[in-house]
Amino acid sequence: MKYYFVQYKKAFAIRLLISILGVLFVFFFSYSTSPLYPDYYGGDSAQFLTIGKEWMLGRIPYKELFDHKGPFIFFVDMLGFMITGNKSGIVIIQSIFSIITVNALFDLAKLHFNSNRYAITVVVISMVIYKRNYIEGNSVEEYCLPFLAVSIYFQMKFLYHKLQQHSPYAAVFYGITFGICAMTRVTNSVLIGAGVLVISIILLLQKQYLNLFWNALGFLLGFAAVFAPFALYFTWKNCFQEFIYGTFIYNFEYAHKMPSWIKNVCFNNMVTFFKFYFPYWCLVFAAVPAFWRKARHIALFYTLAFALETYLFLSGQLFPQYPAICMPQAVLLLNELVPLDMKKSVKGITTIIAFPVIMIICAYSIRNMTDSFNIYHVYHDLKDSRGSYESLLFQIPDDELDSFAAYGDNRFKELYLAYGLTPSYKYFVIQEWHASFSNFVKKDIHSVFKNGNAKWILTAGETNTISDILRERYDIYDSIDDYVLYKMR
């Protein structure tokens, strides 16, 4: 009895340790939400924060505030604002998600090699690698990761142990994971999609038709558990079509018109691809020893997932946060580098190639971590980032600030949060960028600004979509650099 109690205390201490590491990671590196950086809201994160805050205040995403991500991240940010009244409440939710992620990675490591020291080391290395793709925190990838990590744990448990049947309860969780990905960005589900396909093929080959049926049903139930509440909510708010358009249809248009970075590839692109996309490359290194030790099902999974991710990452833009969904793949690679039944020669070759690469990436990430502690003071000083247009904002009378809209590029993403303003219009930032991928959105932006009553509009950069409206309905009140403040006639 005493032995089991000691083992329980040891296991609890280990879980507590890695959970604390997960919380500290969010606290120090989620620049856009952490209370350590109170006046910084980020780029994409600022859009999500703005919609989350306004949702808390009663405005409906898609219907009254547009963005082309699924509603889950807006929902998380809305809950965060409800908890504390400011962005710091989101850190609480992020910490919970981070705790689940690191514990799932710990379990994934122990599936292959049952050693606490090894599993802790794997978690730490994975988090160091993950920092390269974490950017500023509060990304859609961050909220998919715990679901992806747990799903990969279930899938690898099936593949490692060569089970005859697959648990339908695990399939329910795959459906939940796919639902979370679909309610953020559907392509985030590519890794578990590959696993589901491989497991389905295995069950078919083993003639486990009934088991496959129950798994398919479980997957659909899991997906419905996530999708249905959002669908019902937006139906209740009379904007189901807007929800579907913003979450799915616009993104198909976006993917169709967004040129691949490969078409204009240069040396800097390739450096970025290898520097930031290392978690994606992990499957290449992992597949070789898996093939060699004749773990065919696992090797097939790695190969298929790598092929799908290759198409995903080469067909769009080279954004550094995209491969964050591949974080569990670092654990899969490290598992393969600690083989249990592989010839020493192949182990040596694999380790010689892969292990130094991991160490280089970790060293580079650690250096990036130390530099990042000063990110607010060095890179996002308010005077530098907002000083140019701040003087224009201060010219707007206080009693008219609720009749204001910003129209411009990325420089305005955190404007509403930084100055406590409420967007007057559905399209509140990067309007020209949104318009460039959809004729429908372009026409809708024009209609919203044409029929709206915002007394003040602050612009930066191109204003082609509403140039006639500005010319016909507004006068230039003041300008500085390329910022122009317009007042309605």
Side-chain angles (χ1 to χ4, degrees):
M1 186 70 178
K2 182 178 179 181
Y3 170 80
Y4 290 110
F5 180 71
V6 171
Q7 291 300 107
Y8 173 80
K9 286 177 63 178
K10 181 180 178 181
F12 177 80
I14 291 172
R15 294 289 183 172
L16 181 61
L17 172 64
I18 61 174
S19 297
I20 290 173
L21 289 175
V23 172
L24 291 177
F25 183 90
V26 172
F27 190 76
F28 283 113
F29 301 125
S30 184
Y31 310 123
S32 63
T33 59
S34 172
L36 288 179
Y37 315 97
D39 296 316
Y40 178 62
Y41 302 91
D44 288 351
S45 178
Q47 289 179 253
F48 310 148
L49 289 168
T50 301
I51 295 177
K53 178 183 178 182
E54 293 300 320
W55 196 357
M56 178 195 69
L57 296 174
R59 300 184 71 181
I60 312 302
Y62 310 111
K63 183 178 183 180
E64 297 175 282
L65 292 164
F66 177 81
D67 192 40
H68 65 106
K69 296 296 187 296
F72 187 73
I73 190 166
F74 310 142
F75 179 72
V76 168
D77 286 6
M78 181 264 287
L79 290 180
F81 274 102
M82 288 181 68
I83 292 170
T84 61
N86 56 43
K87 66 170 187 171
S88 296
I90 298 159
V91 171
I92 298 173
I93 302 173
Q94 288 176 285
S95 296
I96 295 171
F97 277 61
S98 184
I99 289 171
I100 296 171
T101 298
V102 294
N103 277 276
L105 296 179
F106 180 85
D107 290 334
L108 181 58
K110 291 196 70 173
L111 264 183
H112 186 71
F113 189 63
N114 190 18
S115 165
N116 288 328
R117 290 183 180 179
Y118 166 73
I120 293 171
T121 302
V122 167
V123 169
V124 172
I125 291 175
S126 300
M127 291 173 68
V128 170
I129 293 172
Y130 178 42
K131 174 62 185 71
R132 297 296 304 154
N133 307 111
Y134 195 62
I135 312 302
E136 59 192 11
N138 196 39
S139 68
V140 294
E141 291 79 12
E142 178 178 3
Y143 299 112
C144 293
L145 258 180
F147 298 94
L148 292 170
V150 173
S151 293
I152 295 303
Y153 167 79
F154 287 136
Q155 291 179 345
M156 294 310 298
K157 184 177 181 180
F158 175 83
L159 295 174
Y160 280 150
H161 296 164
K162 299 179 181 179
L163 302 176
Q164 293 299 308
Q165 292 196 334
H166 183 271
S167 170
Y169 297 108
V172 171
F173 197 84
Y174 303 159
I176 292 172
T177 302
F178 180 73
I180 294 295
C181 292
M183 294 297 96
T184 54
R185 186 172 55 239
V186 69
T187 52
N188 287 338
S189 63
V190 63
L191 182 60
I192 64 142
V196 167
L197 181 57
V198 169
I199 291 171
S200 298
I201 292 172
I202 292 171
L203 293 179
L204 281 172
L205 292 176
Q206 294 177 345
K207 298 182 180 181
Q208 297 286 346
Y209 305 126
L210 183 61
N211 184 240
L212 181 60
F213 168 78
W214 286 115
N215 274 269
L217 181 61
F219 183 92
L220 293 175
L221 288 174
F223 173 75
V226 177
F227 178 77
F230 287 111
L232 291 172
Y233 173 81
F234 289 112
T235 299
W236 174 48
K237 294 297 183 178
N238 297 314
C239 59
F240 179 78
Q241 289 183 332
E242 290 92 335
F243 153 62
I244 294 296
Y245 181 81
T247 303
F248 299 111
I249 299 175
Y250 179 89
N251 288 295
F252 287 124
E253 297 175 321
Y254 170 82
H256 178 70
K257 290 190 176 182
M258 173 65 77
S260 168
W261 67 271
I262 286 292
K263 293 182 179 179
N264 298 302
V265 67
C266 63
F267 177 75
N268 288 336
N269 290 149
M270 294 306 298
V271 170
T272 298
F273 190 49
F274 285 101
K275 185 171 67 174
F276 286 94
Y277 282 65
F278 176 73
Y280 150 77
W281 290 104
C282 284
L283 286 184
V284 174
F285 294 114
V288 175
F291 271 114
W292 185 269
R293 62 188 177 89
K294 297 181 180 179
R296 295 184 180 89
H297 295 159
I298 293 175
L300 174 62
F301 169 50
Y302 292 163
T303 304
L304 178 60
F306 180 75
L308 293 174
E309 288 174 1
T310 299
Y311 174 77
L312 173 65
F313 294 142
L314 296 186
S315 60
Q317 290 298 293
L318 198 62
F319 295 131
Q321 69 270 25
Y322 279 179
I325 59 171
C326 304
M327 183 188 178
Q329 295 170 194
V331 180
L332 299 179
L333 171 58
L334 290 165
N335 281 355
E336 293 296 337
L337 293 180
V338 183
L340 302 179
D341 57 356
M342 192 170 65
K343 291 183 178 180
K344 291 183 179 180
S345 58
V346 179
K347 174 185 175 182
I349 293 171
T350 307
T351 304
I352 287 171
I353 295 172
F355 197 72
V357 175
I358 293 174
M359 293 300 101
I360 291 170
I361 294 293
C362 286
Y364 190 85
S365 297
I366 290 171
R367 191 187 74 175
N368 177 260
M369 284 183 180
T370 58
D371 292 341
S372 295
F373 281 117
N374 296 320
I375 189 169
Y376 168 67
H377 300 288
V378 177
Y379 299 110
H380 298 286
D381 187 273
L382 291 180
K383 185 176 179 181
D384 294 335
S385 64
R386 304 172 193 148
S388 294
Y389 66 75
E390 189 176 74
S391 60
L392 298 179
L393 282 179
F394 288 165
Q395 297 184 53
I396 302 174
D398 290 344
D399 60 349
E400 296 183 358
L401 285 172
D402 59 349
S403 186
F404 167 82
Y407 190 102
D409 49 34
N410 291 328
R411 290 171 286 177
F412 285 156
K413 283 187 173 182
E414 57 177 359
L415 180 150
Y416 300 99
L417 296 164
Y419 295 97
L421 301 176
T422 296
S424 290
Y425 292 151
K426 171 182 177 180
Y427 300 97
F428 62 97
V429 75
I430 59 170
Q431 294 90 341
E432 289 291 321
W433 190 86
H434 280 143
S436 66
F437 298 103
S438 168
N439 288 330
F440 171 80
V441 168
K442 184 176 183 178
K443 292 178 181 177
D444 199 34
I445 290 173
H446 187 273
S447 175
V448 166
F449 276 80
K450 181 179 180 180
N451 298 313
N453 295 310
K455 295 180 180 179
W456 300 89
I457 296 178
L458 178 64
T459 69
E462 295 184 358
T463 58
N464 297 330
T465 302
I466 64 165
S467 58
D468 60 323
I469 299 169
L470 295 174
R471 191 168 51 249
E472 295 169 5
R473 301 184 64 198
Y474 290 84
D475 293 318
I476 295 177
Y477 189 82
D478 198 0
S479 65
I480 183 171
D481 299 329
D482 68 334
Y483 298 102
V484 183
L485 179 64
Y486 290 89
K487 183 179 181 181
M488 182 179 285
R489 289 175 188 156

